Amino acid sequence: MGIKIGFLGAGRIARALAQGLLRDRENSWDLVASTRTRESGEAFVKAVPRARLYPQERNRELVQESDIVFLCVKPREVVGVLRQVRPATVGKWIVSVAAGVSLASMVEEVDPSARILRAMPNLPSLVGQGVTPYCLGPGWSASDREQAKKLLERFGVAVELEERFFPLVTVLAGCGPAYFCAFLIPLLEFATERGLSAPEARRMLLSTFSGAAELLKQTELDPAEVVHESRTPGGITNAAITVLEQKEWQATLRSALDAAWSRAKTLEES
């Protein structure tokens, strides 16, 4: 029998994490999820055919049977769900991915022997290329801390941070994939409108962006240096960047980040 992983909630992030775990061929995972709706349950099983499903009325049973529990419900549901399963949390590891729900508020709702880990994985965890900032509640031993980090590293990069940074890392790492894809959409449209096939445009642009990211990872180049070196006076890149500057695109992006930051702090304080 493999390691038993329970998911309280079967939505998009739960599916991504379950699929990320299944990429690990070294361990045999026994996956079970609880769901409130038939639609989310069907989507979970479609994404993870080997998983078992429980209705939410059996949440306590799911926790009792699991070695590690991922808490993937909506933030407003966290306290109620933890109160429901509290008798079953003795000695359990509980990994919460609920935005804005503090460690302190969760620790109050579980057995004192339970270990709480708060994480903010992003969607690329699905393919083992995610970024997961995390922080730990009280009671973690040194060996358990190391095992917890190894668990999260199955989804990509795991970064332990102080909890006060969570609104910030949510804005950056949690939302980052959506920012990238939002920027990619008009590039793809531009390419296909001018005759390039959609698959060709997608392959070329994704390779371009991943190559740029790899360049920054493998060198000490600052992003501003890459822009400067690419902006030959009178050249093509310069023409595009000049329009972006005229439209004050960086100010617009900063306004978007400020809006996300404000919302993240509101969730944290509520």
Side-chain angles (χ1 to χ4, degrees):
M1 183 65 69
I3 301 171
K4 296 180 179 179
I5 306 290
F7 292 88
L8 292 170
R12 182 175 64 252
I13 192 62
R15 296 195 298 271
L17 293 173
Q19 289 176 285
L21 285 174
L22 293 181
R23 290 174 55 85
D24 175 12
R25 304 299 183 183
E26 297 181 5
N27 291 283
S28 176
W29 305 100
D30 182 12
L31 305 180
V32 58
S34 68
T35 178
R36 185 177 56 183
T37 67
R38 185 179 66 181
E39 291 77 14
S40 65
E42 290 175 348
F44 194 92
V45 170
K46 182 178 179 180
V48 191
R50 58 191 274 186
R52 294 176 290 125
L53 285 182
Y54 286 176
Q56 64 178 358
E57 291 77 15
R58 295 177 64 186
N59 279 347
R60 187 180 297 181
E61 182 181 348
L62 180 150
V63 173
Q64 186 68 55
E65 294 179 357
S66 301
D67 299 309
I68 300 169
V69 178
F70 282 88
L71 183 58
C72 303
V73 298
K74 291 179 172 61
R76 65 176 182 273
E77 299 172 352
V78 167
V79 169
V81 169
L82 289 178
R83 288 175 179 171
Q84 176 192 7
V85 303
R86 179 186 174 95
T89 61
V90 177
K92 301 296 183 180
W93 286 17
I94 300 175
V95 181
S96 171
V97 299
V101 183
S102 69
L103 288 170
S105 65
M106 291 185 284
V107 167
E108 291 180 357
E109 305 299 341
V110 298
D111 187 87
S113 66
R115 298 293 172 259
I116 302 289
L117 183 156
R118 181 180 175 187
M120 182 49 64
N122 59 14
L123 203 52
S125 298
L126 170 67
V127 293
Q129 295 295 315
V131 176
T132 306
Y134 72 98
C135 57
L136 299 167
W140 290 82
S141 67
S143 61
D144 284 348
R145 292 173 74 98
E146 185 61 29
Q147 290 303 310
K149 183 177 182 180
K150 288 181 179 178
L151 171 67
L152 296 179
E153 285 177 337
R154 289 179 169 87
F155 307 118
V157 176
V159 183
E160 184 175 1
L161 296 168
E162 295 178 38
E163 189 172 24
R164 62 190 177 94
F165 289 117
F166 258 65
L168 177 60
V169 297
T170 300
V171 170
L172 299 176
C175 304
Y179 305 153
F180 167 74
C181 290
F183 189 75
L184 181 62
I185 290 168
L187 294 175
L188 290 168
E189 292 175 346
F190 180 85
T192 55
E193 287 168 2
R194 283 152 182 80
L196 202 61
S197 72
E200 288 173 332
R202 181 185 176 95
R203 182 169 58 252
M204 181 187 67
L205 287 167
L206 291 179
S207 295
T208 298
F209 280 113
S210 63
E214 199 62 32
L215 173 68
L216 295 178
K217 288 168 65 175
Q218 294 192 25
T219 69
E220 297 183 356
L221 284 172
D222 185 276
E225 292 181 73
V226 177
V227 174
H228 177 74
E229 291 297 323
S230 302
R231 291 188 70 172
T232 304
I236 299 170
T237 302
N238 187 62
I241 299 296
T242 298
V243 172
L244 290 174
E245 290 174 341
Q246 291 170 347
K247 298 294 185 180
E248 298 183 341
W249 75 277
Q250 289 192 2
T252 300
L253 178 57
R254 283 298 300 266
S255 295
L257 294 173
D258 285 339
W261 168 248
S262 177
R263 180 57 182 156
K265 289 195 298 181
T266 298
L267 286 175
E268 199 78 13
E269 294 164 1
S270 62

